[in-house]
mmCIF file of all heavy atoms in Angstrom:
data_model
loop_
_atom_site.group_PDB
_atom_site.id
_atom_site.type_symbol
_atom_site.label_atom_id
_atom_site.label_comp_id
_atom_site.label_asym_id
_atom_site.label_seq_id
_atom_site.Cartn_x
_atom_site.Cartn_y
_atom_site.Cartn_z
ATOM 1 N N ALA A 22 52.123 30.344 5.203
ATOM 2 C CA ALA A 22 53.095 29.604 4.392
ATOM 3 C C ALA A 22 52.528 28.301 3.845
ATOM 4 O O ALA A 22 53.161 27.652 3.008
ATOM 5 C CB ALA A 22 54.340 29.317 5.224
ATOM 6 N N PHE A 23 51.335 27.919 4.295
ATOM 7 C CA PHE A 23 50.769 26.643 3.855
ATOM 8 C C PHE A 23 50.004 26.751 2.543
ATOM 9 O O PHE A 23 49.654 25.735 1.950
ATOM 10 C CB PHE A 23 49.852 26.067 4.947
ATOM 11 C CG PHE A 23 50.609 25.419 6.057
ATOM 12 C CD1 PHE A 23 51.163 26.177 7.066
ATOM 13 C CD2 PHE A 23 50.801 24.047 6.079
ATOM 14 C CE1 PHE A 23 51.893 25.591 8.086
ATOM 15 C CE2 PHE A 23 51.526 23.444 7.089
ATOM 16 C CZ PHE A 23 52.076 24.224 8.090
ATOM 17 N N ASP A 24 49.737 27.952 2.083
ATOM 18 C CA ASP A 24 48.978 28.110 0.844
ATOM 19 C C ASP A 24 49.598 27.368 -0.339
ATOM 20 O O ASP A 24 48.895 26.671 -1.072
ATOM 21 C CB ASP A 24 48.792 29.587 0.500
ATOM 22 C CG ASP A 24 47.638 30.221 1.246
ATOM 23 O OD1 ASP A 24 46.923 29.491 1.959
ATOM 24 O OD2 ASP A 24 47.447 31.441 1.125
ATOM 25 N N PRO A 25 50.922 27.488 -0.574
ATOM 26 C CA PRO A 25 51.486 26.760 -1.726
ATOM 27 C C PRO A 25 51.314 25.247 -1.617
ATOM 28 O O PRO A 25 51.072 24.572 -2.618
ATOM 29 C CB PRO A 25 52.975 27.149 -1.700
ATOM 30 C CG PRO A 25 53.019 28.437 -0.950
ATOM 31 C CD PRO A 25 51.927 28.342 0.069
ATOM 32 N N VAL A 26 51.450 24.713 -0.393
ATOM 33 C CA VAL A 26 51.257 23.273 -0.178
ATOM 34 C C VAL A 26 49.812 22.897 -0.491
ATOM 35 O O VAL A 26 49.539 21.901 -1.164
ATOM 36 C CB VAL A 26 51.615 22.892 1.276
ATOM 37 C CG1 VAL A 26 51.335 21.416 1.538
ATOM 38 C CG2 VAL A 26 53.071 23.219 1.574
ATOM 39 N N LEU A 27 48.886 23.713 -0.008
ATOM 40 C CA LEU A 27 47.462 23.473 -0.231
ATOM 41 C C LEU A 27 47.126 23.497 -1.717
ATOM 42 O O LEU A 27 46.445 22.603 -2.230
ATOM 43 C CB LEU A 27 46.638 24.531 0.513
ATOM 44 C CG LEU A 27 45.135 24.502 0.278
ATOM 45 C CD1 LEU A 27 44.520 23.331 1.017
ATOM 46 C CD2 LEU A 27 44.493 25.806 0.713
ATOM 47 N N VAL A 28 47.602 24.515 -2.418
ATOM 48 C CA VAL A 28 47.309 24.646 -3.845
ATOM 49 C C VAL A 28 47.867 23.452 -4.621
ATOM 50 O O VAL A 28 47.154 22.819 -5.403
ATOM 51 C CB VAL A 28 47.880 25.969 -4.404
ATOM 52 C CG1 VAL A 28 47.779 26.005 -5.927
ATOM 53 C CG2 VAL A 28 47.159 27.167 -3.798
ATOM 54 N N ALA A 29 49.135 23.139 -4.389
ATOM 55 C CA ALA A 29 49.767 22.038 -5.127
ATOM 56 C C ALA A 29 49.064 20.711 -4.842
ATOM 57 O O ALA A 29 48.804 19.923 -5.760
ATOM 58 C CB ALA A 29 51.250 21.946 -4.767
ATOM 59 N N ALA A 30 48.753 20.463 -3.574
ATOM 60 C CA ALA A 30 48.118 19.193 -3.210
ATOM 61 C C ALA A 30 46.711 19.090 -3.782
ATOM 62 O O ALA A 30 46.293 18.020 -4.230
ATOM 63 C CB ALA A 30 48.083 19.040 -1.691
ATOM 64 N N THR A 31 45.981 20.183 -3.799
ATOM 65 C CA THR A 31 44.609 20.162 -4.321
ATOM 66 C C THR A 31 44.615 19.939 -5.836
ATOM 67 O O THR A 31 43.851 19.128 -6.362
ATOM 68 C CB THR A 31 43.876 21.469 -3.984
ATOM 69 O OG1 THR A 31 43.869 21.648 -2.565
ATOM 70 C CG2 THR A 31 42.440 21.441 -4.478
ATOM 71 N N LEU A 32 45.496 20.638 -6.529
ATOM 72 C CA LEU A 32 45.546 20.494 -7.990
ATOM 73 C C LEU A 32 46.063 19.130 -8.416
ATOM 74 O O LEU A 32 45.775 18.671 -9.525
ATOM 75 C CB LEU A 32 46.407 21.607 -8.600
ATOM 76 C CG LEU A 32 45.826 23.018 -8.494
ATOM 77 C CD1 LEU A 32 46.799 24.039 -9.064
ATOM 78 C CD2 LEU A 32 44.470 23.121 -9.183
ATOM 79 N N ALA A 33 46.804 18.456 -7.530
ATOM 80 C CA ALA A 33 47.349 17.135 -7.862
ATOM 81 C C ALA A 33 46.365 15.995 -7.617
ATOM 82 O O ALA A 33 46.633 14.855 -7.999
ATOM 83 C CB ALA A 33 48.622 16.888 -7.046
ATOM 84 N N GLN A 34 45.218 16.285 -7.027
ATOM 85 C CA GLN A 34 44.245 15.223 -6.752
ATOM 86 C C GLN A 34 43.652 14.699 -8.062
ATOM 87 O O GLN A 34 43.548 15.429 -9.045
ATOM 88 C CB GLN A 34 43.124 15.752 -5.839
ATOM 89 C CG GLN A 34 43.588 16.152 -4.459
ATOM 90 C CD GLN A 34 44.333 15.040 -3.750
ATOM 91 O OE1 GLN A 34 43.919 13.882 -3.768
ATOM 92 N NE2 GLN A 34 45.449 15.402 -3.132
ATOM 93 N N PRO A 35 43.254 13.425 -8.087
ATOM 94 C CA PRO A 35 42.698 12.837 -9.324
ATOM 95 C C PRO A 35 41.519 13.650 -9.868
ATOM 96 O O PRO A 35 40.688 14.149 -9.098
ATOM 97 C CB PRO A 35 42.238 11.445 -8.859
ATOM 98 C CG PRO A 35 43.079 11.141 -7.661
ATOM 99 C CD PRO A 35 43.313 12.459 -6.982
ATOM 100 N N ALA A 36 41.470 13.774 -11.173
ATOM 101 C CA ALA A 36 40.459 14.600 -11.828
ATOM 102 C C ALA A 36 39.035 14.126 -11.544
ATOM 103 O O ALA A 36 38.097 14.919 -11.563
ATOM 104 C CB ALA A 36 40.707 14.632 -13.334
ATOM 105 N N GLU A 37 38.867 12.817 -11.264
ATOM 106 C CA GLU A 37 37.510 12.307 -11.040
ATOM 107 C C GLU A 37 36.933 12.706 -9.686
ATOM 108 O O GLU A 37 35.731 12.564 -9.457
ATOM 109 C CB GLU A 37 37.471 10.781 -11.192
ATOM 110 C CG GLU A 37 38.296 10.009 -10.185
ATOM 111 C CD GLU A 37 39.730 9.749 -10.659
ATOM 112 O OE1 GLU A 37 40.166 10.413 -11.632
ATOM 113 O OE2 GLU A 37 40.387 8.894 -10.062
ATOM 114 N N LEU A 38 37.770 13.209 -8.778
ATOM 115 C CA LEU A 38 37.254 13.643 -7.481
ATOM 116 C C LEU A 38 36.476 14.945 -7.626
ATOM 117 O O LEU A 38 36.860 15.827 -8.404
ATOM 118 C CB LEU A 38 38.401 13.867 -6.488
ATOM 119 C CG LEU A 38 39.177 12.650 -6.010
ATOM 120 C CD1 LEU A 38 40.239 13.062 -4.998
ATOM 121 C CD2 LEU A 38 38.247 11.612 -5.399
ATOM 122 N N THR A 39 35.407 15.068 -6.865
ATOM 123 C CA THR A 39 34.693 16.343 -6.830
ATOM 124 C C THR A 39 35.604 17.370 -6.166
ATOM 125 O O THR A 39 36.547 16.997 -5.436
ATOM 126 C CB THR A 39 33.395 16.230 -6.015
ATOM 127 O OG1 THR A 39 33.746 15.982 -4.635
ATOM 128 C CG2 THR A 39 32.488 15.141 -6.542
ATOM 129 N N PRO A 40 35.351 18.658 -6.359
ATOM 130 C CA PRO A 40 36.189 19.663 -5.694
ATOM 131 C C PRO A 40 36.247 19.488 -4.172
ATOM 132 O O PRO A 40 37.315 19.632 -3.571
ATOM 133 C CB PRO A 40 35.522 20.984 -6.089
ATOM 134 C CG PRO A 40 34.941 20.710 -7.436
ATOM 135 C CD PRO A 40 34.435 19.292 -7.332
ATOM 136 N N LEU A 41 35.118 19.139 -3.540
ATOM 137 C CA LEU A 41 35.139 18.940 -2.090
ATOM 138 C C LEU A 41 35.924 17.696 -1.706
ATOM 139 O O LEU A 41 36.683 17.709 -0.717
ATOM 140 C CB LEU A 41 33.715 18.846 -1.538
ATOM 141 C CG LEU A 41 33.045 20.175 -1.211
ATOM 142 C CD1 LEU A 41 31.612 19.947 -0.751
ATOM 143 C CD2 LEU A 41 33.813 20.940 -0.153
ATOM 144 N N ALA A 42 35.784 16.637 -2.465
ATOM 145 C CA ALA A 42 36.552 15.417 -2.181
ATOM 146 C C ALA A 42 38.049 15.694 -2.343
ATOM 147 O O ALA A 42 38.869 15.180 -1.576
ATOM 148 C CB ALA A 42 36.107 14.285 -3.095
ATOM 149 N N ALA A 43 38.407 16.511 -3.324
ATOM 150 C CA ALA A 43 39.812 16.875 -3.520
ATOM 151 C C ALA A 43 40.335 17.661 -2.316
ATOM 152 O O ALA A 43 41.470 17.456 -1.872
ATOM 153 C CB ALA A 43 39.971 17.691 -4.802
ATOM 154 N N LEU A 44 39.505 18.546 -1.771
ATOM 155 C CA LEU A 44 39.913 19.299 -0.580
ATOM 156 C C LEU A 44 40.123 18.374 0.606
ATOM 157 O O LEU A 44 41.085 18.519 1.367
ATOM 158 C CB LEU A 44 38.865 20.357 -0.222
ATOM 159 C CG LEU A 44 38.952 21.696 -0.926
ATOM 160 C CD1 LEU A 44 37.878 22.626 -0.400
ATOM 161 C CD2 LEU A 44 40.317 22.331 -0.756
ATOM 162 N N ARG A 45 39.229 17.425 0.792
ATOM 163 C CA ARG A 45 39.373 16.482 1.904
ATOM 164 C C ARG A 45 40.635 15.638 1.737
ATOM 165 O O ARG A 45 41.353 15.377 2.704
ATOM 166 C CB ARG A 45 38.139 15.595 2.021
ATOM 167 C CG ARG A 45 36.902 16.371 2.462
ATOM 168 C CD ARG A 45 35.768 15.463 2.833
ATOM 169 N NE ARG A 45 36.072 14.771 4.085
ATOM 170 C CZ ARG A 45 35.369 13.739 4.533
ATOM 171 N NH1 ARG A 45 34.351 13.276 3.845
ATOM 172 N NH2 ARG A 45 35.681 13.164 5.672
ATOM 173 N N ALA A 46 40.918 15.229 0.524
ATOM 174 C CA ALA A 46 42.140 14.454 0.271
ATOM 175 C C ALA A 46 43.377 15.309 0.534
ATOM 176 O O ALA A 46 44.410 14.808 0.985
ATOM 177 C CB ALA A 46 42.138 13.928 -1.161
ATOM 178 N N THR A 47 43.257 16.601 0.268
ATOM 179 C CA THR A 47 44.368 17.522 0.507
ATOM 180 C C THR A 47 44.726 17.589 1.988
ATOM 181 O O THR A 47 45.897 17.699 2.345
ATOM 182 C CB THR A 47 44.010 18.923 -0.036
ATOM 183 O OG1 THR A 47 43.843 18.823 -1.457
ATOM 184 C CG2 THR A 47 45.092 19.935 0.275
ATOM 185 N N VAL A 48 43.729 17.517 2.851
ATOM 186 C CA VAL A 48 43.987 17.520 4.292
ATOM 187 C C VAL A 48 44.899 16.342 4.656
ATOM 188 O O VAL A 48 45.841 16.484 5.444
ATOM 189 C CB VAL A 48 42.675 17.471 5.102
ATOM 190 C CG1 VAL A 48 42.948 17.277 6.586
ATOM 191 C CG2 VAL A 48 41.873 18.754 4.887
ATOM 192 N N ASP A 49 44.649 15.192 4.042
ATOM 193 C CA ASP A 49 45.496 14.014 4.293
ATOM 194 C C ASP A 49 46.918 14.239 3.798
ATOM 195 O O ASP A 49 47.885 13.836 4.447
ATOM 196 C CB ASP A 49 44.901 12.774 3.622
ATOM 197 C CG ASP A 49 43.576 12.349 4.252
ATOM 198 O OD1 ASP A 49 43.366 12.641 5.454
ATOM 199 O OD2 ASP A 49 42.758 11.746 3.543
ATOM 200 N N VAL A 50 47.057 14.888 2.644
ATOM 201 C CA VAL A 50 48.385 15.180 2.098
ATOM 202 C C VAL A 50 49.150 16.092 3.047
ATOM 203 O O VAL A 50 50.339 15.889 3.320
ATOM 204 C CB VAL A 50 48.281 15.817 0.698
ATOM 205 C CG1 VAL A 50 49.633 16.323 0.221
ATOM 206 C CG2 VAL A 50 47.711 14.815 -0.301
ATOM 207 N N ILE A 51 48.462 17.108 3.566
ATOM 208 C CA ILE A 51 49.116 18.039 4.494
ATOM 209 C C ILE A 51 49.575 17.293 5.745
ATOM 210 O O ILE A 51 50.678 17.524 6.251
ATOM 211 C CB ILE A 51 48.179 19.213 4.835
ATOM 212 C CG1 ILE A 51 48.003 20.102 3.594
ATOM 213 C CG2 ILE A 51 48.713 20.021 6.005
ATOM 214 C CD1 ILE A 51 46.974 21.189 3.742
ATOM 215 N N ARG A 52 48.739 16.403 6.239
ATOM 216 C CA ARG A 52 49.132 15.599 7.418
ATOM 217 C C ARG A 52 50.428 14.840 7.154
ATOM 218 O O ARG A 52 51.277 14.706 8.026
ATOM 219 C CB ARG A 52 48.032 14.589 7.755
ATOM 220 C CG ARG A 52 46.902 15.125 8.565
ATOM 221 C CD ARG A 52 46.021 13.964 9.014
ATOM 222 N NE ARG A 52 44.748 14.407 9.506
ATOM 223 C CZ ARG A 52 44.536 14.867 10.733
ATOM 224 N NH1 ARG A 52 45.546 14.942 11.575
ATOM 225 N NH2 ARG A 52 43.337 15.245 11.110
ATOM 226 N N GLU A 53 50.577 14.318 5.934
ATOM 227 C CA GLU A 53 51.745 13.515 5.586
ATOM 228 C C GLU A 53 52.980 14.371 5.317
ATOM 229 O O GLU A 53 54.096 13.991 5.668
ATOM 230 C CB GLU A 53 51.450 12.667 4.345
ATOM 231 C CG GLU A 53 50.393 11.602 4.566
ATOM 232 C CD GLU A 53 49.918 10.974 3.270
ATOM 233 O OE1 GLU A 53 50.509 11.290 2.206
ATOM 234 O OE2 GLU A 53 48.962 10.179 3.301
ATOM 235 N N GLN A 54 52.799 15.534 4.691
ATOM 236 C CA GLN A 54 53.937 16.332 4.234
ATOM 237 C C GLN A 54 54.478 17.304 5.273
ATOM 238 O O GLN A 54 55.636 17.701 5.193
ATOM 239 C CB GLN A 54 53.557 17.124 2.973
ATOM 240 C CG GLN A 54 53.386 16.264 1.750
ATOM 241 C CD GLN A 54 53.167 17.096 0.496
ATOM 242 O OE1 GLN A 54 53.066 18.322 0.546
ATOM 243 N NE2 GLN A 54 53.083 16.425 -0.640
ATOM 244 N N VAL A 55 53.646 17.722 6.216
ATOM 245 C CA VAL A 55 54.056 18.749 7.167
ATOM 246 C C VAL A 55 54.476 18.091 8.475
ATOM 247 O O VAL A 55 53.746 17.265 9.022
ATOM 248 C CB VAL A 55 52.902 19.755 7.399
ATOM 249 C CG1 VAL A 55 53.297 20.805 8.417
ATOM 250 C CG2 VAL A 55 52.523 20.422 6.078
ATOM 251 N N SER A 56 55.659 18.463 8.960
ATOM 252 C CA SER A 56 56.161 17.862 10.203
ATOM 253 C C SER A 56 55.277 18.258 11.380
ATOM 254 O O SER A 56 54.574 19.270 11.341
ATOM 255 C CB SER A 56 57.594 18.317 10.471
ATOM 256 O OG SER A 56 57.604 19.666 10.919
ATOM 257 N N GLY A 57 55.365 17.460 12.436
ATOM 258 C CA GLY A 57 54.572 17.737 13.633
ATOM 259 C C GLY A 57 54.848 19.109 14.201
ATOM 260 O O GLY A 57 53.925 19.830 14.593
ATOM 261 N N GLN A 58 56.136 19.520 14.244
ATOM 262 C CA GLN A 58 56.478 20.825 14.798
ATOM 263 C C GLN A 58 55.966 21.950 13.906
ATOM 264 O O GLN A 58 55.452 22.961 14.393
ATOM 265 C CB GLN A 58 57.991 20.963 14.990
ATOM 266 C CG GLN A 58 58.403 22.262 15.687
ATOM 267 C CD GLN A 58 57.714 22.458 17.028
ATOM 268 O OE1 GLN A 58 57.787 21.610 17.906
ATOM 269 N NE2 GLN A 58 57.028 23.585 17.190
ATOM 270 N N ASP A 59 56.109 21.780 12.584
ATOM 271 C CA ASP A 59 55.619 22.815 11.666
ATOM 272 C C ASP A 59 54.106 22.984 11.807
ATOM 273 O O ASP A 59 53.591 24.100 11.776
ATOM 274 C CB ASP A 59 55.963 22.465 10.218
ATOM 275 C CG ASP A 59 57.429 22.687 9.908
ATOM 276 O OD1 ASP A 59 58.119 23.349 10.709
ATOM 277 O OD2 ASP A 59 57.891 22.192 8.856
ATOM 278 N N TRP A 60 53.400 21.849 11.938
ATOM 279 C CA TRP A 60 51.952 21.970 12.085
ATOM 280 C C TRP A 60 51.585 22.582 13.425
ATOM 281 O O TRP A 60 50.650 23.376 13.511
ATOM 282 C CB TRP A 60 51.246 20.632 11.893
ATOM 283 C CG TRP A 60 49.775 20.840 12.018
ATOM 284 C CD1 TRP A 60 48.955 20.419 13.009
ATOM 285 C CD2 TRP A 60 48.958 21.636 11.146
ATOM 286 N NE1 TRP A 60 47.677 20.879 12.797
ATOM 287 C CE2 TRP A 60 47.652 21.627 11.668
ATOM 288 C CE3 TRP A 60 49.225 22.345 9.965
ATOM 289 C CZ2 TRP A 60 46.601 22.312 11.052
ATOM 290 C CZ3 TRP A 60 48.167 23.020 9.362
ATOM 291 C CH2 TRP A 60 46.881 22.998 9.902
ATOM 292 N N GLU A 61 52.330 22.273 14.484
ATOM 293 C CA GLU A 61 52.060 22.886 15.785
ATOM 294 C C GLU A 61 52.294 24.393 15.719
ATOM 295 O O GLU A 61 51.512 25.176 16.267
ATOM 296 C CB GLU A 61 52.954 22.267 16.869
ATOM 297 C CG GLU A 61 52.802 22.894 18.247
ATOM 298 C CD GLU A 61 51.374 22.866 18.803
ATOM 299 O OE1 GLU A 61 50.563 22.027 18.380
ATOM 300 O OE2 GLU A 61 51.064 23.721 19.671
ATOM 301 N N ASP A 62 53.343 24.815 15.023
ATOM 302 C CA ASP A 62 53.589 26.254 14.835
ATOM 303 C C ASP A 62 52.422 26.903 14.092
ATOM 304 O O ASP A 62 51.981 27.999 14.428
ATOM 305 C CB ASP A 62 54.893 26.483 14.057
ATOM 306 C CG ASP A 62 56.131 26.116 14.861
ATOM 307 O OD1 ASP A 62 56.026 25.964 16.099
ATOM 308 O OD2 ASP A 62 57.209 25.980 14.243
#
């Protein structure tokens, strides 16, 4: 179920970021957007 969150967060990263930097920034977005229980599940 996390794929849509991942896709949206990655595509929303600033255009100047490299693809890998955008992925790393996406990890931070997921940390912020996903509740502790959802991430534990």
Side-chain angles (χ1 to χ4, degrees):
F23 282 81
D24 278 355
V26 176
L27 174 74
V28 171
T31 302
L32 292 177
Q34 295 306 316
E37 64 269 15
L38 292 182
T39 66
L41 274 177
L44 275 183
R45 292 191 71 192
T47 297
V48 172
D49 293 333
V50 171
I51 291 173
R52 277 189 195 279
E53 294 168 6
Q54 289 186 356
V55 178
S56 74
Q58 185 55 56
D59 285 346
W60 182 249
E61 177 57 23
D62 291 345

